[in-house]
Each structure stands twice: as C-alpha cells, then as structure tokens.
Amino acid sequence: MHRVTILATALLCGQGVSADVALNVGYLSAEAPRPPTLSNLDPVPANLGLAGAQTGLQDNLTTGKFLGHGYSLTEVEVAVGEDPLEPARDLLQSTSFILLDAPAETLTAIADLPEAQGAILFNISAGELSLRDTECRANLLHSLPSDAMRTDALAQFFVQRRWSDLVMISGSYAQDQAYAEAMRRSLKKFGMALSEEKSWTFDADMRRTASQEIPLFTQDLGDYDALIVADELHDFGRYVLYNTWEARPVVGSEGLSAVTWSPVIEQWGAAQLQSRFSEAHARDMASQDYAAWAAMRSLGEAVTRTNSADPHTLRSYILSDSFELAGFKGRPLTYRAWNGQLRQPIAIAHPRALVAQAPLEGFLHQTNELDSMGLDRPESQCEAFQ
C-alpha cells in the first residue's frame, strides 16, 4: 500500500484563515530498486528531494502570507514493486501540480494519464535527454538539469583548459551508460572525442585491492589529459582517484564533477539557502533537493506574479519571457519554451570547493548563454510544446 502524508498547510497570520489563492502541491516518489554498490559510505537520505520541496514550501509560505496566498504539500510514497499509476491518479484528483521523483518511464506514463492532461508535472530526478527530446510531454517540466547539460559544462571546461586527450571508464548500469552517452555527445558537440574507453567489469571488492588492481586496469589507457569516470551510482569511481597508472585528473561522476547543487556553492546568496536547508533537515542540500526546491519555487513565483492558481495560467506564465526565478546561482533561471527544461548555470566542483560555473567565459549563444548547455532549440525533436 502506498503511503500518503499531508506535510504542511498554509496558515495566514497564525490562524486558519482561507487564502485568497490556495495551491495544493503533490509530491510523488516511486522507489526503484537500487543496485548494490561496493561501499555504503554515502547512504541515500530517506527524504532526498522531499526535503527540498519542504524548503521551497516554507519559502512560498513566507511570501504568500503577505499576499493572501496559501500553499500545502501532500506526499505520496510508492514502494518498490508497486504500480505508481493508481496513486498518481488519486493524487491528480486533489491537485493539478505534482513534483515527481521517479524513473523516466514512470514519468512519461504518469504524464500520459488522462487525469494528467492540463496538469503541471515537474521532473526532479531523471536526467535522460530523451525526456526533453523525443519523449517530451507538454505537461512535464524539468527542474533537474539533463545529463547533457552537465556533460556540456564539463566539455566547456575541457576546452578552456585545453584538455583534448581524454579517456573514459564506464560502469555497466543504465545510469552510467546514459551519462557516458551524454559525455560522448558533448565531446562531439565541442569538437573533441575520446582517445580510449574501457568498461568497468570488476565484481570483486575493491576496498582492499584498489591500489593493486586499478593501476593495472588503467595502464593500457596510455597518457592522457584527464580520465572521465561514468559512475552515476558512485559504485567504483571513488577507488579510481589517486590509483591510476598515470597521475592525471579524474573528472565526471567522481573527482571534478558538474553538478546541479553542492554544499561548496556559497556565492550569490547560496549560503543563506544552504543554511536554512541544513538547519531544517540536519544535512547538506543535494542536487535533487535543489531541483525539488526550484520546482516548488517556480510555482510560488508564478502564483505571486499572476495571483492565480489556474494550471493553464501558471503554465503559460512559467514558459513565458516574463518568468524569472532567483535561484542563488548568479543569474535568473528561466524555462525553455520548446521543451520545458529549466535553464540554469552548472557548478563544476570537487567535494571541497567550487572550481568554475558554466557556461564558461567565451561560450556564447545567439539568445541565451545558458542554452550553450544541453539540447538547443535547433537540435530539439520535441513537438509537444509547439
């Protein structure tokens, strides 16, 4: 049985007063089986994503109490192995606004439900490019960057640093393969290519043998400028760092990474958001938390500007040139009107510091520099937004 939780409701001036405009937002998480990994040093928080939605809800309530706008958040949690479509139908009976933490195929299945037509759904967890391209849906917006946006950010960094001799090690899981394919696409886009590529095939415990096995595994990669690791499950990549045959930078899923959000981002008022989040949830804000926060705040900003809770009115405003979201990233965030992707800078960071923020200087675009990352309009095969 799926679990439903009413997380918060709007109270105006400390009393249960009816809001002039009230928005109930759903949060549906459909758990997918997670493959076993070599290490459990990085457990996935139980409230990953949801904590970001709660932080966004509080921000909306803070603004809404002065304007007569009320907000509430309802969580629906679907356990592994359960069909998420029936809980999604039930949730759509009470709200037309849902944040979705689910695999790509579940996102499109929910978006295709008759009950979802005219709703506004937000993808906060799936980076597949196809969701923004051939498998796009008019009612599905994306507050999480695509994998291609992240790999394009790294490719810009490679060009700027003149790292042209690149090799890659890819994991075998679907998420790893999707990231590796996005990286190949990005390298081609910016005039580069891999000089060598290997697949990670070890099934032994690397924790004790990494210093012996990985130098031999990487020896035949030869010399190179940087080693790209495609390990989105963070399974083996941690053992590659500092164990390669050649002493070279490790980038990608480990080492120097392109991420939506990181605790090391402190500029542009980000420290204030980081502080509020950590005080409320006793942990650092992660990329999926930020995507959920951005989705919630997108709705709040649209309600504030339009004074409406009508889905058609809010969607039209969110996709218009008038919409801007202050996202603590140094520039306003907007949505691509042709596929529903939230434009946003991408942090290039390691666990201890922010190194750069893409788009990097010199990477221009005829309309918006943020569109130098990810699927640009001329490349898009998305027809649902036309």
Side-chain angles (χ1 to χ4, degrees):
M1 230 17 220
H2 61 275
R3 183 169 64 88
V4 181
T5 306
I6 308 299
L7 292 162
T9 55
L11 296 177
L12 301 181
C13 302
Q15 300 177 353
V17 181
S18 297
D20 296 332
V21 177
L23 198 75
N24 175 37
V25 182
Y27 185 100
L28 187 146
S29 59
E31 296 183 44
R34 184 175 175 85
T37 55
L38 292 172
S39 174
N40 60 359
L41 291 176
D42 301 315
V44 178
N47 62 350
L48 181 65
L50 179 61
Q54 291 173 308
T55 301
L57 174 67
Q58 293 304 316
D59 290 351
N60 287 350
L61 290 172
T62 298
T63 302
K65 69 181 180 181
F66 298 108
L67 301 172
H69 298 164
Y71 301 88
S72 61
L73 180 62
T74 302
E75 180 202 6
V76 174
E77 183 179 326
V78 183
V80 175
E82 291 187 356
D83 181 7
L85 296 188
E86 195 58 39
R89 290 189 185 96
D90 293 342
L91 188 56
L92 284 162
Q93 296 301 316
S94 61
T95 179
S96 295
F97 311 96
I98 303 179
L99 279 56
L100 295 172
D101 170 13
E105 60 273 15
T106 302
L107 293 177
T108 53
I110 293 174
D112 289 340
L113 290 173
E115 296 87 347
Q117 306 315 301
I120 302 179
L121 312 175
F122 285 90
N123 163 29
I124 66 160
S125 62
E128 286 89 340
L129 184 63
S130 61
L131 290 171
R132 289 86 168 162
D133 195 23
T134 55
E135 296 299 317
C136 70
R137 301 293 191 271
N139 56 355
L140 183 61
L141 308 182
H142 310 276
S143 55
L144 185 81
S146 65
D147 292 338
M149 291 171 67
R150 294 167 52 219
T151 55
D152 279 358
L154 275 178
Q156 290 185 7
F157 188 81
F158 299 155
V159 172
Q160 189 182 75
R161 295 301 174 95
R162 300 182 180 179
W163 292 354
S164 58
D165 191 352
L166 301 164
V167 299
M168 182 163 69
I169 300 174
S170 305
S172 59
Y173 295 119
Q175 299 96 317
D176 306 336
Q177 292 298 307
Y179 183 88
E181 183 55 37
M183 181 59 74
R184 295 184 198 102
R185 175 190 175 277
S186 294
L187 295 178
K188 181 179 180 181
K189 175 179 177 178
F190 290 95
M192 296 176 288
L194 294 169
S195 58
E196 191 65 55
E197 184 172 354
K198 296 191 72 171
S199 297
W200 181 264
T201 57
F202 288 93
D203 56 7
D205 191 338
M206 275 292 115
R207 288 174 289 184
R208 296 180 180 86
T209 61
S211 60
Q212 289 82 38
E213 299 290 347
I214 292 180
L216 296 176
F217 181 72
T218 58
Q219 183 178 7
D220 58 356
L221 293 174
D223 196 7
Y224 48 84
D225 294 325
L227 169 60
I228 302 167
V229 171
D231 174 26
E232 290 294 271
L233 288 179
H234 303 289
D235 180 20
F236 64 89
R238 70 178 75 236
Y239 305 109
V240 175
L241 276 81
Y242 305 106
N243 278 320
T244 55
W245 183 266
E246 295 287 347
R248 298 291 182 270
V250 173
V251 300
S253 301
E254 295 288 346
L256 187 68
S257 302
V259 294
T260 310
W261 194 254
S262 169
V264 300
I265 301 173
E266 298 179 307
Q267 303 176 49
W268 315 293
Q272 186 259 351
L273 176 62
Q274 302 272 26
S275 176
R276 286 192 290 109
F277 182 92
S278 61
E279 287 177 5
H281 304 289
R283 64 174 177 84
D284 291 329
M285 189 179 221
S287 290
Q288 191 170 320
D289 296 311
Y290 181 86
W293 174 87
M296 185 65 73
R297 285 293 299 122
S298 294
L299 289 171
E301 180 67 16
V303 170
T304 297
R305 300 301 178 183
T306 64
N307 196 38
S308 172
D310 173 64
H312 176 75
T313 299
L314 297 185
R315 181 184 183 278
S316 297
Y317 181 76
I318 287 171
L319 293 175
S320 74
D321 293 338
S322 300
F323 178 86
E324 288 187 350
L325 178 65
F328 303 98
K329 288 192 170 189
R331 62 179 73 191
L333 312 186
T334 60
Y335 284 85
R336 291 172 179 156
W338 65 87
N339 67 358
Q341 173 66 58
L342 180 64
R343 295 183 180 97
Q344 54 190 292
I346 302 296
I348 300 173
H350 59 76
R352 299 287 291 170
L354 179 68
V355 176
Q357 180 166 264
L360 301 180
E361 185 177 355
F363 290 90
L364 306 177
H365 190 276
Q366 60 269 33
T367 56
N368 190 319
E369 290 178 5
L370 292 172
D371 287 342
S372 66
M373 300 180 298
L375 196 66
D376 201 2
R377 175 168 252 156
E379 307 169 282
S380 176
Q381 299 181 64
C382 175
E383 298 179 353
F385 284 74
Q386 295 179 2

